[in-house]
Amino acid sequence: MSGSSGRRKRKIRWSKLYSYGCFRPPHTLDSDPGQQLLGQPGFSRVVFCNEPQLHKAKPYKYPKNYVSTTKYNIVTFLPKALFEQFRRVANLYFLLAAVLSLNSFAPFNPISLIAPLVFVVGVSMIKEAVEDWHRFLQDLNVNSRTVRAHVGGGLFVEKTWQGLCVGDVVKVNKNEYFPSDLLLLSSSFEDGICYVETMNLDGETNLKVKRSSEATLDLANDQAFSDFKATIRCEDPNPHLYTFVGNLELNSVTHPLCPATLLLRDSKLRNTDYIYGVVVFSGPDTKAVRNSTRSPSKRSRIERKMDLVIYLLFSMLLLISLITSTGFAVLLKSQMVKWWYLSLQDDDPLFKPDPLFKPSAPEVSGFLQFVRALILYGYLIPISLYVSIEVVKVLQAMLINKDIELYDEVTCKSVQTRTSNLNEELGQVEMILTDKTGTLTCNQMEFRKCSIAGASYGGNINKIDCAASKRMNVEVESYRFSMDEFETQSQSFEMFDFSVADVSTEKAALAGQKHMQNSSADCSRISSAEGEPAIKGFNFRDDRLMNRKWVYRSNLFDVTMFFRVMALCHTGIPVDGDQAHKLKYEAESPEEVSFLIAAQEFGFQFFQRSQSVMYLKEFDPSSGKVVERKYKLLNLLEFCSARKRMSVIVSNEDGEIFLLCKGADNIIFDRLADNGRSYQQATTLHLSDYAEDGFRTLAFAYRKLDAVEYEKWNSIFTEAKTTIGPEREEVLIEASEMIEKDLILLGVAAVEDKLQKGVPECIDKLAQAGMKIWLLTGDKKETAINIGFSCSLLRQDMKQFHLILGKESAASNRLKMKKDILNQLEGFQKVKSEERNKDAPLALIVDGKVLEIALRSDVKDQFLPLAVDCASVICCRVSPKQKALITRLVKEHTGKTTLAIGDGANDVGMIQEADIGVGISGMEGMQAVMASDISLPQFRFLGRLLIVHGHWCYKRISKMILYFVYKNIAFGLTLFYYEVYTSFSGEVLYDDWYMALFNVILTSLPVISLGVLEQDVSSEVCLKFPALYQQGQKNIYFTWSRIIGWILNGIVASLVIFLANICTLSTFNKDGSFAEKAFAKDGNVADITHLGAMTYTCIIWTVNCQISLIITHFTWIQHLFIWGSIIIWYIFLFIYGALPPDISKRGFRVLAEALGPAPIYWLVTLLVVVVALLPYFIHIAIQRSFYPLDDHVIQEMKYWRKDIGNNNLIWEREQNNSVMMTQIGFSARVDARIRIMKENLNQKGQLIYRSVTSSPIFRSLTSSPI
C-alpha cells in the first residue's frame, strides 16, 4: 500500500504566486479572536489525530460516520407509523367502532370491523416500510463507499465511509468526495495546496483553494504517518459552512487553524493528485448533514382536504344516528310499550333481555341505539378509501417509474418515485424553486463567441431570432407597405435586424424573405448549442478566425494580443490530452479551461509552466510556423469577488513588460486609457447581444509597462504582501489599483454555461402550464442573470428590479441596511404601480446578503408580495439555510403548492421544506436524491412528470375520492332508510357477507382501475396543451361544490334504489299502512332476504355503471373489472345460496329459487339503474354542451374530428391560447422579439415613407396632371 506514496509532488508553489484569498502570512494565536473561545461552551471539541481508539469511550466519544436519511428505524417504526396512520380521521373513527363492536348490542360481528381496520392500517404501514427500505438502501450505497484509511505503521487500507471514526487519517485521491469533514494535513503540492469543488454544497462552480498548516507539510507520504500524533481543539459541530475555529497541537507547539484548512463532506478534490486529512467531524456532526433536516412526513393537499370530507361524512353519520336514536326513544315511550308481541319476553324465563328495549328507561335505550347506529351506518365512512388510495398510488408510482420517456440513455437512469404519497400533488404545482448548477446547467463551459477589435465573431442567428423570423413570415404581411414600387429587398430586409457572423449569413437572411420555405437552412445557422461540439469546451464556428485565418485580419496586433491574454492570464495547469498535440487543462474555474482550449484552437497553446515561467506554442503570422515562446511571470493578481478581475504581469523574450487583464466589462471599461477606448462602442453593442443569448462575458485588455514604472510599483506591492494584520487585504487592493489602469481594450470573450439538454423547452412548457419559477443559486449575480437569459427565465423587454445593498449600506449596521432595503422595495412598488401595462413582465434579482434581512418578520411582508407578483425571481449568493427559509416562506405566504428541485447537498433543505422535493440523480453526490420525494435523471424530465403524470394523477385521485364518497353514501343510506321504514327496529337489511364484500370485492377493482389507468387526454395532447395543467392548480375537480354535488348524487341514488324496491314489493292499504305484494307466481310475498338481495343488486349495478360514465379512457382492464364485478355478484349469490342453510342462513337458494325466476327482479334492476343515473347524465350533457371545460373541448376535437375540416385551426387556436398569458419561457421570448421586430419595422417603414413623400421627385409626380 505504501507504494503509492512515491508519487511525485508537484513543484509549483502556488503560495508564492497568489496575493489574496487564504494565502496570508501565518497569523498568530493572539491575532485571531476566535482562538480565545476555545475550551468554552460551543468550542470544546478535542480530536486525537491518528488515535481513533481514544474516541470510543466518553468523554471523547463522537458519532461514527454513518449517515441516515430514513424516516424510521427498528425502534421508532411502530409508534411513528401508527401515529401517521391514526392522524387520518377515518382510521380513528374505525378504531372507535372496532372497540364499540365488542359490546353485545353491536349490529355486526366484531371481526367484521376489526379485520378491515387491521388490513387497511397494515397495508399502509407496509407501504411506508417498503419506501423507507429503499431510502435505507440508498443510504447504504453512500455509506459503503470506500476511502484509504491509516491503520498503523504507515499502512493505508480501503475502509468504508461508515467505518470511519473521528481521528482517522485518510488519503483522498483526485476526483473523489471527502467522506467527512477533514483537516487538511498535506497534498500533492509541496506547499500543501489543494483545489476543492464545493458545487455540491454551495452551488458555486469556481474551485476553492485550500491550504494545510505549514506544521504538517512534511507529512509527504504514507510512511510519514507511522509515528504521527497530534491534538486538535476546535469548535463544536455546527451548520456554518464558511467558519472554523481551532488549533493544532503538534510536538508541544500550538498552530492556529482557519476555514481554509477544513475540507467539507460532499465536496470533491479537483486538480490535485491526492491529499491527506484527519477526520474532525463525522456523520451527523458534519456541516453538510447539519445543514439538512430529518425527512419530514408530507401529505398532499387533496389528502388533507379529504380529512375535511370525512368530517362532513361523519357529521352526516352523527345526524342520522341521532335521528335513529331519537326516533327509537320516542317510539319506545309512546307506541312500542303497546305492541303485544314485544311483551312476550316478559313471560318467557329463558328469553335473554334485549339491552336496547327498556321501556322504563327510554333515554338509556335511545343512547344505546345511538351507539349501535354509529356502528351500523359506518359504511358512510369509506374505510377502504385509504387503502385503495395507497394501492393506487403505489401502482401510479410504478407506471411513472416505467415510463420510457423519463429514461435517460446517457446516464442509464430513470425517474424514481421515492414517496408515492404525493402523486396527485404533482398536478397542482404553482411554484418551482430550482437550483442552478447541476440542475439547469451541466457545469461545462463552452467558448461560443468573441468580439475582437470591434468585430463580432461566431455570432450566428440565435434560436429566438430564427423562430421569430419564421412566424414573422406568416404574420408580417399586414405590416408591409402597399406601394409596389417600394417593396424591394432592401426594405423587406429591415425586419431581419440580426447580428450575423459573416456576409454569407447576411445574404441568407436577405434571401429568406422570398425563400422562407427553406427555413431549415436558416435554422442550421444557429450555433450547435444542443449538439455535442467536436472539441469539449469549444463550440465556436467562424471561418474568419478558424484555421489560422485570423492572420488576414486588419488589426492583427490586437487579435494576437487578445489570444495572448487568453493563453496567459489564468491559473491553469496543462495535462495530457486524448489527441496528439492537443492538451487538456485544469484550472480554478471552468471559464479558464474553456479560454485555454479556445486559445489552443486559435494557435496559442499553453503547454508548460514552472514557478515563474509560462510557455506558449504560438503561430507566427510572419513565418507561418508554430514557435515556442516563454513568458516570465512577474506577478499574479488573482480574481476575487470584490475585484471582479484578474491580471498577470509578464515579460516576453524581448524584455517587454505587459500587464494582461481580464474581468467584468464595467470594471475593465472604468480602467481604460483615453486612447484605449477605440472599440468600446462596438464592444458594448456586442455585449448586449451576448447577454441576451445568456452568455458569460469577460473583457480583455492590456497595458505595456515601462521597466522603471514596474520596478517602482513592484516594491510597493511586495511591501503590501508582507503586511500583517486586518488591513493587509485593503493595502493589496490599493496597490493593485495603482497598476491596473490606463488599459487598452482588446475585446470580450463569451462563454456559455451549458444548459442541460431540453432545459429551455421544459421551462417553456412549465411556464405555459401556469407555473412560476424561482432560481436559487449560490453563484454570483452576473452568472445567475446570464443563466436566466439562457434558459428564458429573463427576456430583454423585462423590467428588472435589483434588490442589492450599496457599498455604504453593506458596511453599515443592520438598521441602516434594513432601511435601505425597505426604501428599495417601496421604490419598486411605486414603479410597478405606475407601469401602464399591468401585464408587463417583471423580474426580481436578489442578493444573499439582502435576503438575510428581507426574510425577517418585519421586512418579509413587503418583500414577499413583490416577489410573488414578479414573473421571475432570481436569488443569488444564497446559503443552504436561506434556500430552505425562502421555500418555507413562499409556501406559507402564497398557500400554493411548491416544488423544489436540486442536485446537491446544499439543496437538501429546500427539497425537504417544499411540498414536493425533487432530486437530480446526476454526476454529483446523492444527498439531494436521498432527501427527495422523487428523483429525476435531468431537469428536462420535470415537464413530462408534472404536465402529464401530475395532471393524470390529480384527476385520477380526485375522481376516485368523489366516487368513493358517492358509492358509500348510496350504499350506507339504504340502511338508514330501512331503519326508518321498520320503525327503528334495529334489523340489518343486508346479510353480513354482503356488507363485507361491498368494498373489498364488488366495487374495489373498478375504482382502482379508475385511479391507475384513467386519462382524460393522451400524453401527447397534455404536452401540446400545457394549459390543461391549470385545472389542477385551480383544483376544479375537487372543489366543495363538486364534493357536495357527488354527495347529493349519492343521496338521490340511494333514495331511488330503496324507494323503487319498496314500492315494487309493497302497496298502501286504505289506512295508509304498507302491505306486501305478491312476489312470485304462487302468491308468496317478499321478506327481508328478498328485499335485501334486490336492493343490493340494484346498488351493485348502479355504482358500477356510474363509474363507467366517469371513465373517459377505456381499456380492456376497465371493462373486465366493471362488468366482471357485476358478474361476480351473481356468481357469489348463486354459490352462497347453494351452501347448507346453517352457513348461508337466510340467503339459502335465494337466487336460484326466488329472485332468478321472478321477472320483477330483473325489471326493477334495469329501471333503477336508468333512473338513478339520469341526474348525472343530464348534468354532464348540460355541462359539455353549454359550459365545457378545456379537456371537454379537446376531447371533442379528438374524438369527433372537429379540426379536420378547418385546417387544424381549432388546434392552433387552443395552442395559442395556451401560451397567450405566458411571461417567461422560449415562447414568451419569441413573442417579445416579434413585437420588437414589428415595432422596428413599422418605425423604419414610416421613416422611409416620410423621406419618399418629402422628396422633390415624389412631389413633382403627385402635383403634375394626369
Side-chain angles (χ1 to χ4, degrees):
M1 283 297 193
S2 62
S4 63
S5 64
R7 296 174 67 176
R8 179 175 59 86
K9 277 184 167 283
R10 297 192 179 184
K11 298 298 183 181
I12 299 175
R13 297 181 68 86
W14 288 108
S15 56
K16 300 297 184 183
L17 297 177
Y18 280 103
S19 306
Y20 313 110
C22 63
F23 302 103
R24 300 173 181 172
H27 56 282
T28 63
L29 294 176
D30 296 333
S31 66
D32 189 351
Q35 299 292 328
Q36 310 302 323
L37 300 173
L38 294 177
Q40 299 180 21
F43 299 85
S44 60
R45 194 175 186 89
V46 179
V47 177
F48 300 103
C49 302
N50 217 12
E51 297 178 287
Q53 68 278 3
L54 298 180
H55 294 289
K56 294 182 179 179
K58 293 182 178 180
Y60 301 115
K61 186 177 182 180
Y62 302 124
K64 285 201 170 185
N65 203 40
Y66 181 84
V67 173
S68 173
T69 61
T70 58
K71 291 183 181 179
Y72 313 103
N73 56 40
I74 296 177
V75 177
T76 63
F77 174 72
L78 194 60
K80 290 180 70 173
L82 285 173
F83 171 76
E84 288 295 325
Q85 295 309 311
F86 288 105
R87 282 205 303 174
R88 297 168 169 172
V89 291
N91 287 348
L92 274 178
Y93 162 75
F94 282 105
L95 177 63
L96 175 64
V99 173
L100 294 176
S101 69
L102 299 175
N103 294 296
S104 59
F105 53 82
F108 305 127
N109 189 316
I111 297 298
S112 64
L113 287 175
I114 295 173
L117 177 65
V118 172
F119 175 75
V120 168
V121 173
V123 168
S124 299
M125 290 176 65
I126 290 172
K127 171 181 166 289
E128 285 285 312
V130 170
E131 290 181 348
D132 213 47
W133 175 256
H134 289 304
R135 295 190 190 95
F136 169 75
L137 293 179
Q138 288 187 322
D139 289 344
L140 189 64
N141 182 42
V142 173
N143 291 317
S144 298
R145 292 176 180 175
T146 59
V147 66
R148 298 184 64 211
H150 186 237
V151 294
L155 181 64
F156 282 75
V157 299
E158 296 289 335
K159 199 172 184 179
T160 60
W161 281 22
Q162 65 183 7
L164 291 180
C165 297
V166 171
D168 272 326
V169 174
V170 298
K171 184 177 183 179
V172 180
N173 293 317
K174 183 178 178 180
N175 294 330
E176 290 182 350
Y177 287 99
F178 301 123
S180 56
D181 290 352
L182 308 176
L183 178 70
L184 177 61
L185 298 175
S186 63
S187 74
S188 57
F189 290 106
E190 283 189 348
D191 47 1
I193 297 299
C194 75
Y195 291 95
V196 175
E197 180 184 86
T198 60
M199 181 179 64
N200 212 19
L201 291 174
D202 55 21
E204 292 195 21
T205 55
N206 287 354
L207 302 184
K208 308 294 189 302
V209 184
K210 301 287 186 177
R211 185 187 184 190
S212 68
S213 172
E214 292 188 1
T216 57
L217 288 179
D218 58 342
L219 300 173
N221 51 53
D222 294 0
Q223 291 298 327
F225 289 92
S226 57
D227 300 319
F228 171 65
K229 296 288 188 296
T231 302
I232 300 172
R233 301 183 187 277
C234 64
E235 63 185 18
D236 292 339
N238 61 71
H240 306 302
L241 296 176
Y242 307 111
T243 63
F244 180 69
V245 176
N247 59 44
L248 176 70
E249 297 176 4
L250 179 63
N251 299 327
S252 302
V253 179
T254 301
H255 306 273
L257 303 175
C258 65
T261 60
L262 190 67
L263 308 175
L264 301 181
R265 179 187 173 106
D266 284 324
S267 52
K268 183 185 286 188
L269 184 65
R270 292 286 198 187
N271 299 358
T272 311
D273 293 335
Y274 61 88
I275 62 98
Y276 292 101
V278 61
V279 178
V280 178
F281 300 117
S282 59
D285 288 345
T286 58
K287 291 180 181 287
V289 177
R290 288 266 168 168
N291 267 281
S292 63
T293 57
R294 301 296 298 176
S295 298
S297 295
K298 299 180 180 180
R299 300 181 71 202
S300 70
R301 293 171 184 268
I302 286 185
E303 188 174 344
R304 292 197 293 269
K305 192 170 184 177
M306 190 169 66
D307 285 346
L308 300 178
V309 175
I310 299 298
Y311 285 130
L312 178 61
L313 295 178
F314 189 70
S315 300
M316 291 180 60
L317 172 62
L318 290 175
L319 177 62
I320 62 176
S321 298
L322 187 62
I323 293 173
T324 299
S325 62
T326 303
F328 177 77
V330 170
L331 286 175
L332 176 63
K333 186 175 182 179
S334 60
Q335 297 184 31
M336 289 186 184
V337 293
K338 302 176 184 178
W339 296 346
W340 61 268
Y341 54 86
L342 294 180
S343 302
L344 295 176
Q345 58 176 320
D346 298 335
D347 302 327
D348 189 353
L350 299 178
F351 194 87
K352 186 176 180 179
D354 187 351
L356 295 177
F357 186 71
K358 293 183 178 180
S360 59
E363 295 82 4
V364 176
S365 295
F367 175 75
L368 294 177
Q369 183 75 355
F370 176 77
V371 175
R372 181 182 179 277
L374 283 178
I375 301 173
L376 176 63
Y377 304 145
Y379 278 85
L380 285 176
I381 313 294
I383 185 174
S384 60
L385 172 60
Y386 284 116
V387 70
S388 297
I389 286 180
E390 297 284 1
V391 171
V392 163
K393 287 183 176 181
V394 169
L395 295 175
Q396 286 177 348
M398 292 173 62
L399 290 179
I400 293 174
N401 293 343
K402 298 297 182 182
D403 188 350
I404 193 65
E405 298 295 329
L406 296 178
Y407 176 78
D408 183 30
E409 296 180 352
V410 177
T411 59
C412 297
K413 294 179 181 179
S414 63
V415 62
Q416 291 295 324
T417 50
R418 293 163 46 82
T419 302
S420 60
N421 292 341
L422 306 172
N423 292 353
E424 68 274 21
E425 197 89 329
L426 293 172
Q428 296 184 282
V429 175
E430 294 184 73
M431 304 288 295
I432 296 178
L433 298 99
T434 177
D435 177 44
K436 179 186 74 69
T437 309
T439 303
L440 299 178
T441 65
C442 306
N443 196 30
Q444 296 178 10
M445 296 295 174
E446 290 184 343
F447 186 88
R448 292 295 304 277
K449 298 182 181 182
C450 61
S451 172
I452 308 175
S456 179
Y457 300 92
N460 295 335
I461 301 173
N462 60 32
K463 295 177 70 174
I464 302 295
D465 287 333
C466 183
S469 66
K470 287 201 288 186
R471 284 182 49 189
M472 283 284 286
N473 185 54
V474 177
E475 302 174 5
V476 80
E477 299 298 332
S478 59
Y479 294 92
R480 289 183 178 169
F481 305 108
S482 59
M483 292 180 296
D484 295 338
E485 61 267 27
F486 296 112
E487 286 187 348
T488 62
Q489 283 187 338
S490 60
Q491 293 163 359
S492 301
F493 177 71
E494 296 294 340
M495 67 177 178
F496 298 100
D497 190 16
F498 299 141
S499 174
V500 290
D502 52 21
V503 177
S504 61
T505 309
E506 294 178 10
K507 290 180 178 179
L510 180 62
Q513 193 243 304
K514 288 188 175 180
H515 306 284
M516 188 60 78
Q517 66 270 21
N518 204 9
S519 60
S520 60
D522 294 333
C523 291
S524 68
R525 299 182 181 278
I526 302 170
S527 294
S528 54
E530 294 296 326
E532 286 296 323
I535 302 168
K536 187 176 181 180
F538 185 75
N539 194 2
F540 180 87
R541 303 290 182 272
D542 199 308
D543 293 338
R544 294 173 294 172
L545 294 185
M546 297 300 294
N547 302 317
R548 310 289 194 268
K549 291 184 179 179
W550 53 267
V551 300
Y552 303 114
R553 308 309 298 172
S554 58
N555 300 309
L556 181 58
F557 177 79
D558 291 337
V559 174
T560 304
M561 285 301 297
F562 183 91
F563 293 147
R564 283 199 182 119
V565 174
M566 195 183 294
L568 293 172
C569 189
H570 58 81
T571 58
I573 304 169
V575 295
D576 294 336
D578 299 331
Q579 304 176 19
H581 310 298
K582 298 288 185 182
L583 297 176
K584 289 186 175 181
Y585 299 95
E586 295 175 349
E588 284 186 36
S589 68
E591 292 103 324
E592 286 193 343
V593 173
S594 66
F595 287 150
L596 287 169
I597 293 173
Q600 180 175 241
E601 294 302 313
F602 291 132
F604 289 75
Q605 185 188 60
F606 167 63
F607 69 95
Q608 185 181 348
R609 85 181 307 155
S610 66
Q611 186 67 33
S612 59
V613 180
M614 303 176 74
Y615 297 88
L616 296 187
K617 289 182 180 178
E618 296 184 4
F619 181 77
D620 185 13
S622 59
S623 63
K625 297 180 180 179
V626 175
V627 297
E628 291 188 9
R629 291 196 173 109
K630 66 178 182 178
Y631 296 86
K632 187 176 181 180
L633 181 60
L634 302 178
N635 299 93
L636 187 149
L637 311 178
E638 71 271 17
F639 182 93
C640 68
S641 57
R643 287 167 36 79
K644 296 185 179 180
R645 64 188 182 278
M646 173 189 177
S647 299
V648 294
I649 300 176
V650 298
S651 64
N652 60 19
E653 295 170 340
D654 297 330
E656 295 176 314
I657 301 175
F658 290 93
L659 180 142
L660 310 179
C661 184
K662 67 179 180 184
D665 53 270
N666 60 322
I667 300 295
I668 299 299
F669 288 173
D670 290 343
R671 286 161 176 76
L672 294 179
D674 292 337
N675 63 343
R677 301 179 181 271
S678 304
Y679 313 125
Q680 183 175 353
Q681 185 176 359
T683 303
T684 302
L685 293 175
H686 299 154
L687 280 169
S688 177
D689 293 336
Y690 300 164
E692 187 175 357
D693 291 338
F695 297 151
R696 297 190 192 184
T697 55
L698 284 177
F700 289 3
Y702 78 99
R703 179 189 177 195
K704 188 174 182 180
L705 300 177
D706 181 78
V708 176
E709 180 188 7
Y710 170 72
E711 292 297 336
K712 182 179 178 180
W713 172 84
N714 190 44
S715 62
I716 298 173
F717 187 70
T718 303
E719 182 180 350
K721 288 182 69 173
T722 56
T723 302
I724 297 176
E727 71 278 1
R728 178 178 184 271
E729 198 86 15
E730 185 178 347
V731 172
L732 275 171
I733 292 177
E734 289 178 358
S736 300
E737 295 278 357
M738 295 171 61
I739 197 72
E740 292 175 322
K741 63 181 183 178
D742 297 331
L743 303 176
I744 297 175
L745 180 65
L746 294 170
V748 295
V751 295
E752 180 184 23
D753 191 354
K754 190 177 180 184
L755 295 175
Q756 292 184 10
K757 180 181 178 182
V759 165
E761 293 80 1
C762 177
I763 288 178
D764 190 41
K765 293 292 185 184
L766 296 174
Q768 292 178 38
M771 288 172 248
K772 287 191 174 183
I773 302 174
W774 288 27
L775 177 62
L776 311 180
T777 178
D779 238 329
K780 57 188 178 182
K781 185 181 76 171
E782 294 80 6
T783 303
I785 291 175
N786 289 337
I787 292 300
F789 277 108
S790 179
C791 60
S792 296
L793 287 177
L794 299 176
R795 51 192 236 212
Q796 207 64 21
D797 65 332
M798 185 178 281
K799 189 181 293 293
Q800 296 181 14
F801 296 147
H802 292 258
L803 189 58
I804 58 176
L805 289 173
K807 292 183 179 179
E808 295 181 0
S809 299
S812 59
N813 56 36
R814 286 190 175 272
L815 189 60
K816 290 185 178 179
M817 294 165 67
K818 172 185 169 183
K819 185 177 180 181
D820 182 20
I821 293 172
L822 288 174
N823 288 336
Q824 291 186 59
L825 290 172
E826 185 179 347
F828 294 159
Q829 288 287 7
K830 185 177 180 181
V831 172
K832 180 172 171 289
S833 61
E834 293 176 352
E835 177 65 42
R836 293 182 180 178
N837 182 9
K838 298 303 180 183
D839 295 326
L842 306 174
L844 180 64
I845 292 92
V846 193
D847 184 73
K849 291 183 179 179
V850 175
L851 281 173
E852 291 183 16
I853 299 171
L855 297 179
R856 293 176 178 269
S857 58
D858 52 347
V859 183
K860 68 180 181 182
D861 292 335
Q862 285 78 31
F863 169 72
L864 288 173
L866 174 67
V868 172
D869 285 343
C870 290
S872 181
V873 178
I874 296 177
C875 303
C876 48
R877 293 290 189 189
V878 291
S879 66
K881 284 287 187 182
Q882 285 178 328
K883 287 186 176 184
L885 182 58
I886 293 169
T887 305
R888 183 192 311 158
L889 292 178
V890 169
K891 181 173 65 173
E892 293 173 353
H893 174 78
T894 63
K896 298 177 179 178
T897 303
T898 59
L899 179 146
I901 180 170
D903 73 318
N906 61 321
D907 304 315
V908 168
M910 74 171 184
I911 285 173
Q912 293 181 334
E913 278 291 347
D915 293 309
I916 305 170
V918 178
I920 301 293
S921 55
M923 301 297 182
E924 302 306 321
M926 296 291 289
Q927 284 288 334
V929 170
M930 291 190 295
S932 67
D933 304 305
I934 300 171
S935 67
L936 294 175
Q938 286 195 348
F939 182 89
R940 61 188 165 97
F941 297 115
L942 184 64
R944 183 176 179 86
L945 177 68
L946 297 182
I947 296 173
V948 177
H949 292 287
H951 175 74
W952 284 347
C953 289
Y954 163 73
K955 298 192 79 170
R956 290 165 177 169
I957 296 296
S958 298
K959 288 183 176 181
M960 182 179 172
I961 296 172
L962 294 174
Y963 173 73
F964 249 104
V965 171
Y966 160 81
K967 75 181 182 70
N968 277 63
I969 286 179
F971 177 63
L973 285 183
T974 56
L975 295 168
F976 171 66
Y977 301 150
Y978 186 73
E979 280 284 291
V980 176
Y981 176 69
T982 58
S983 300
F984 308 104
S985 65
E987 190 70 33
V988 181
L989 176 61
Y990 306 117
D991 187 282
D992 283 354
W993 278 103
Y994 299 175
M995 307 279 280
L997 291 177
F998 180 75
N999 281 321
V1000 177
I1001 300 295
L1002 300 178
T1003 61
S1004 60
L1005 294 179
V1007 76
I1008 288 176
S1009 69
L1010 169 69
V1012 176
L1013 301 174
E1014 170 67 348
Q1015 297 178 13
D1016 56 341
V1017 292
S1018 65
S1019 60
E1020 293 79 9
V1021 173
C1022 283
L1023 293 172
K1024 190 172 289 186
F1025 301 98
L1028 282 175
Y1029 184 85
Q1030 296 176 20
Q1031 293 181 335
Q1033 295 171 340
K1034 299 172 184 175
N1035 198 21
I1036 63 175
Y1037 274 88
F1038 201 62
T1039 59
W1040 279 111
S1041 59
R1042 279 184 176 262
I1043 294 169
I1044 299 300
W1046 277 98
I1047 290 175
L1048 293 176
N1049 190 24
I1051 294 173
V1052 170
S1054 63
L1055 280 170
V1056 169
I1057 292 170
F1058 184 78
L1059 293 177
N1061 281 278
I1062 287 294
C1063 293
T1064 301
L1065 301 179
S1066 305
T1067 186
F1068 285 99
N1069 292 324
K1070 293 181 179 180
D1071 59 357
S1073 61
F1074 279 104
E1076 289 76 12
K1077 291 196 300 187
F1079 176 73
K1081 293 180 180 180
D1082 55 6
N1084 289 333
V1085 297
D1087 60 6
I1088 187 174
T1089 301
H1090 303 109
L1091 176 62
M1094 286 181 64
T1095 306
Y1096 195 86
T1097 301
C1098 292
I1099 290 173
I1100 295 300
W1101 268 97
T1102 300
V1103 298
N1104 280 290
C1105 289
Q1106 175 66 71
I1107 201 172
S1108 67
L1109 292 178
I1110 298 173
I1111 294 175
T1112 56
H1113 174 73
F1114 276 97
T1115 66
W1116 65 269
I1117 298 176
Q1118 279 103 325
H1119 285 294
L1120 176 65
F1121 285 174
I1122 292 172
W1123 313 122
S1125 297
I1126 297 173
I1127 294 172
I1128 288 175
W1129 159 242
Y1130 288 111
I1131 294 173
F1132 165 78
L1133 196 59
F1134 179 81
I1135 295 175
Y1136 184 59
L1139 296 176
D1142 57 340
I1143 297 176
S1144 60
K1145 299 179 182 177
R1146 63 189 189 188
F1148 183 67
R1149 295 190 178 179
V1150 66
L1151 178 64
E1153 296 183 357
L1155 299 181
I1160 195 172
Y1161 170 68
W1162 305 100
L1163 290 174
V1164 166
T1165 302
L1166 177 62
L1167 176 66
V1168 164
V1169 171
V1170 172
V1171 175
L1173 297 180
L1174 190 59
Y1176 178 78
F1177 188 83
I1178 294 173
H1179 162 72
I1180 60 174
I1182 294 174
Q1183 184 186 45
R1184 285 182 174 268
S1185 299
F1186 302 103
Y1187 311 102
L1189 300 175
D1190 291 341
D1191 54 326
H1192 296 159
V1193 174
I1194 293 175
Q1195 286 168 2
E1196 290 187 17
M1197 289 162 57
K1198 177 180 178 182
Y1199 293 110
W1200 295 96
R1201 306 290 182 181
K1202 286 189 175 182
D1203 59 310
I1204 291 179
N1206 297 323
N1207 298 321
N1208 293 327
L1209 290 179
I1210 298 179
W1211 283 94
E1212 292 180 7
R1213 183 195 68 197
E1214 293 298 322
Q1215 281 186 287
N1216 291 334
N1217 291 340
S1218 181
V1219 302
M1220 189 176 297
M1221 300 303 294
T1222 305
Q1223 293 184 326
I1224 62 171
F1226 182 81
S1227 299
R1229 286 187 72 190
V1230 172
D1231 291 340
R1233 183 62 175 161
I1234 288 174
R1235 285 194 295 271
I1236 294 173
M1237 292 167 66
K1238 285 181 176 179
E1239 290 174 2
N1240 292 340
L1241 176 62
N1242 192 29
Q1243 291 174 2
K1244 293 176 182 179
Q1246 291 177 2
L1247 181 63
I1248 293 173
Y1249 180 78
R1250 285 195 299 268
S1251 63
V1252 169
T1253 54
S1254 61
S1255 66
I1257 300 176
F1258 184 85
R1259 289 176 181 174
S1260 63
L1261 289 175
T1262 55
S1263 60
S1264 61
I1266 300 176

